[in-house]
Amino acid sequence: GFLEDGILVRDVGRTRRRYLRSRTFPWDVLAVLPTELLCLLPGLPGLPGVPGVPAARANRCLRVPRLFEAFDRCETRTGRPNAFRTAKLMLYLLLGIHWHACLYFALSAHLGLGSDPWVCPGSARTLRRYLHSFYFSTLVLATVGDTPAPQREEEFLFLTAGFLLAVLGFATVTGSISAVIVNLSSAAAASYPAAGPVRRYLRARGAGGRLAGRVARWHRHLRAQRKPPAELALVLRLRPQLFGPGEFVCRRGDVGREMYFIREGRLAVVAEDGVTRLAVLGEGLYFGEISLIDIKGNTAGNRRTANILSIGYSDLFCLGKEDLAEVLAEFPRARAAMEAKGRELLLRMGRLDSGAEAAALAAEAEAERRLQGLEAALEGLQTRAARLLAQLEAGALRMALRVRRLEGR
């Protein structure tokens, strides 16, 4: 398929027509033409000892852009991108050595196989000649040396060009390996933040060494146990969702099971007719939390209070009700701010029952008062139990002393 206005098109006919009209189609046709059949023509010059002309298959290289495209797609979809990059780098190295070996063998065949110690020996076995060429190219491109001294001008030029390519290859390999290492370090730093900025912040605030030591030990514990910080744990609970133009994210009266954070796009709060816009929500805002949190006096309960319509393509993050409850339990200030905002919205929409809110607050205060009474009574019982236990232990000790004195008499 292909993307059209952000929508994946899977129609075979449209895909075929689009491919036939694309710029890559003529190059793909040229790449698959059986040009090696030209070697069967009589009178075509060829290399001595080589069946056919390998250059006749050079049109296959026109598929290289497709190969790079396939590599890019695999790299973005695989779960181990660094391992894939390393394998791709090894493939490039082997392919470069292979091509250099082919050029070396072609030059040796042009100069005469076995004519001097530098060229490829004139062995009757094809595998032997290929292994010798591959070994020679590996020595040259790895700058190991230990190759026979060149005798002719062509050999000097070829060897010099090979050494220059080796220098470029080393730079490329070093850069690729460095990129893989940097990616691994960046991934670890993203999951486990560095302690340096935190220590500088503590010093700027005048915090003592004891607190800085606790923070440093906390960071070491996270890295040793492979535990992400609380902020990353919150991010991992978010689920991405995409809505197209004219799609409803939620409708008024639906049961609320999640809240949404707007990453990209715009959404409209519409009336019951689905056309009249009451408000527009942009990037960075959130909605849907009123039906998830317990606001005293909310007459809507766990039902949605508004119709939310996606104006264009909207990229949202979704947070479930259970995950939201766990997060708000860890961040009471965020819960208070969210409840205050929800209460203001409900009051503006006329969906907040003041009497029910007051009754709920009174019931909550009464329950809190009773709970405090029970806690005080429990503390009193614990104190009495501890006193009785101490008296029992003292009585048992006095009885043991009397028994010992009687046994002594």
Side-chain angles (χ1 to χ4, degrees):
F2 62 95
L3 292 177
E4 187 177 60
D5 297 331
I7 301 176
L8 181 62
V9 179
R10 295 181 177 272
D11 184 75
V12 178
R14 295 181 60 186
T15 304
R16 183 188 301 112
R17 288 192 297 269
R18 183 175 183 271
Y19 174 62
L20 294 177
R21 296 172 183 173
S22 64
R23 296 181 179 179
T24 59
F25 175 71
W27 297 102
D28 291 344
V29 172
L30 292 176
V32 299
L33 289 177
T35 53
E36 60 269 15
L37 296 179
L38 297 175
C39 300
L40 302 178
L41 296 177
L44 186 68
L47 300 176
V50 181
V53 181
R57 297 189 296 272
N59 62 324
R60 299 292 187 269
C61 296
L62 297 176
R63 297 286 288 179
V64 169
R66 289 292 194 182
L67 179 65
F68 291 157
E69 180 183 358
F71 282 165
D72 293 338
R73 293 190 179 187
C74 290
E75 186 174 336
T76 57
R77 285 166 173 78
T78 181
R80 298 180 178 273
N82 294 314
F84 181 80
R85 295 190 192 103
T86 305
K88 184 174 64 174
L89 177 61
M90 296 301 298
L91 175 64
Y92 288 161
L93 290 177
L94 293 176
L95 188 61
I97 296 174
H98 167 75
W99 282 349
H100 189 269
C102 293
L103 293 176
Y104 165 73
F105 181 77
L107 179 61
S108 300
H110 175 72
L111 298 177
L113 297 176
S115 58
D116 60 56
W118 189 87
V119 298
C120 182
S123 176
R125 297 178 57 193
T126 305
L127 179 60
R128 175 77 178 186
R129 291 182 294 182
Y130 175 75
L131 291 179
H132 178 84
S133 303
F134 195 89
Y135 175 72
F136 182 88
S137 298
T138 304
L139 294 179
V140 173
L141 296 182
T143 65
V144 176
D146 197 19
T147 58
Q151 306 295 329
R152 312 178 193 182
E153 290 82 357
E154 296 89 343
E155 298 173 359
F156 278 104
L157 292 175
F158 185 83
L159 201 59
T160 303
F163 284 137
L164 293 178
L165 287 176
V167 173
L168 179 61
F170 266 118
T172 304
V173 171
T174 304
S176 301
I177 296 298
S178 301
V180 172
I181 296 175
V182 168
N183 290 336
L184 291 174
S185 302
S186 301
S191 300
Y192 307 99
V198 180
R199 286 197 297 266
R200 290 193 294 269
Y201 174 81
L202 293 177
R203 284 197 300 267
R205 292 291 181 177
R210 183 178 180 182
L211 180 58
R214 290 182 60 189
V215 173
R217 289 193 297 272
W218 176 72
H219 276 273
R220 287 197 298 269
H221 171 72
L222 288 181
R223 291 181 178 274
Q225 301 296 327
R226 309 295 296 175
K227 293 182 179 180
E231 292 79 2
L232 182 59
L234 172 61
V235 172
L236 293 177
R237 298 170 187 239
L238 299 176
R239 292 180 287 108
Q241 290 190 0
L242 181 66
F243 292 89
E247 293 185 7
F248 278 91
V249 180
C250 59
R251 293 180 180 270
R252 184 176 179 178
D254 293 345
V255 177
R257 294 183 176 87
E258 59 274 320
M259 66 174 298
Y260 299 92
F261 299 87
I262 305 176
R263 181 176 179 269
E264 291 181 356
R266 294 191 307 153
L267 298 101
V269 182
V270 297
E272 294 298 331
D273 57 2
V275 178
T276 306
R277 296 184 181 180
L278 304 179
V280 176
L281 306 178
E283 299 178 3
L285 300 179
Y286 63 89
F287 61 92
E289 78 283 359
I290 297 179
S291 58
L292 302 183
I293 58 179
D294 184 18
I295 299 179
K296 306 298 185 298
N298 182 11
T299 58
N302 62 345
R303 300 285 179 173
R304 299 293 189 187
T305 58
N307 300 312
I308 308 297
L309 179 71
S310 178
I311 298 177
Y313 282 95
S314 301
D315 191 0
L316 309 179
F317 284 119
C318 172
L319 184 63
K321 184 175 182 179
E322 294 77 9
D323 295 332
L324 177 62
E326 294 180 6
V327 170
L328 293 181
E330 298 178 1
F331 300 94
R333 291 186 180 180
R335 181 184 185 88
M338 192 173 293
E339 288 181 354
K341 178 185 176 182
R343 186 180 182 281
E344 181 182 353
L345 292 176
L346 290 174
L347 188 61
R348 191 183 308 167
M349 291 185 297
R351 287 182 168 267
L352 186 65
D353 189 351
S354 302
E357 181 184 13
L361 292 176
E364 185 177 352
E366 178 65 19
E368 182 67 23
R369 186 185 62 80
R370 291 184 178 182
L371 181 60
Q372 292 178 356
L374 289 176
E375 289 179 352
L378 181 59
E379 290 180 359
L381 290 176
Q382 289 177 346
T383 303
R384 292 180 59 186
R387 188 181 300 115
L388 291 175
L389 182 60
Q391 292 176 359
L392 180 60
E393 291 178 352
L397 181 59
R398 288 195 299 269
M399 183 64 68
L401 292 175
R402 291 182 61 186
V403 170
R404 187 175 300 175
R405 285 196 299 270
L406 290 175
E407 288 178 348
R409 293 178 183 177

